[in-house]
Amino acid sequence: MTVELDYRWHLRKIMATRGMFATTDLRPLLVERGVELSQSQVYRLVTERPERLNLRTLMALLDILDCTITELIEPLPARGARRTGKAVNGVDAGTKSP
């Protein structure tokens, strides 16, 4: 069974709480941190939910907005499979590893 992971992207909301209402406000701040995106890329980043995000861009956004990753990206519960309580290495999550 395939597990569907989902999230909510809160960039626009966080920008608004920081007094940033135009996507053009964000571009020069990204450039100051070494992230060169076109104005259309910045617009899409703000108005759409990204499927892929460069870590340098993510870190720049966290710095610019003075927020945490969980404020910017809200994970939603996985759909399609039950949680088994198993860790990646097969050890039960509630037990100590040998």
Side-chain angles (χ1 to χ4, degrees):
M1 182 181 297
T2 301
V3 176
E4 288 187 41
L5 302 175
D6 206 4
Y7 62 96
R8 288 193 184 108
W9 180 242
H10 297 292
L11 179 56
R12 176 174 266 184
K13 180 176 87 173
I14 293 173
M15 284 177 61
T17 64
R18 307 300 192 269
M20 298 173 65
F21 299 100
T23 60
T24 54
D25 296 336
L26 188 56
R27 188 167 185 237
L29 299 172
L30 288 167
V31 169
E32 286 176 8
R33 289 157 179 84
V35 177
E36 297 275 346
L37 298 176
S38 69
Q39 191 57 47
S40 64
Q41 288 172 312
V42 173
Y43 178 82
R44 285 193 309 272
L45 186 64
V46 173
T47 61
E48 299 173 12
R49 198 175 74 153
E51 290 297 318
R52 284 176 257 130
L53 185 61
N54 179 291
L55 288 177
R56 183 180 301 269
T57 304
L58 175 61
M59 297 309 294
L61 290 171
L62 297 177
D63 183 57
I64 291 165
L65 300 167
D66 190 29
C67 67
T68 65
I69 194 167
T70 55
E71 291 172 305
L72 186 60
I73 305 169
E74 176 188 354
L76 298 176
R79 292 178 292 162
R82 287 185 13 223
R83 293 196 165 217
T84 63
K86 297 281 184 182
V88 173
N89 63 4
V91 175
D92 284 344
T95 63
K96 294 181 181 176
S97 58

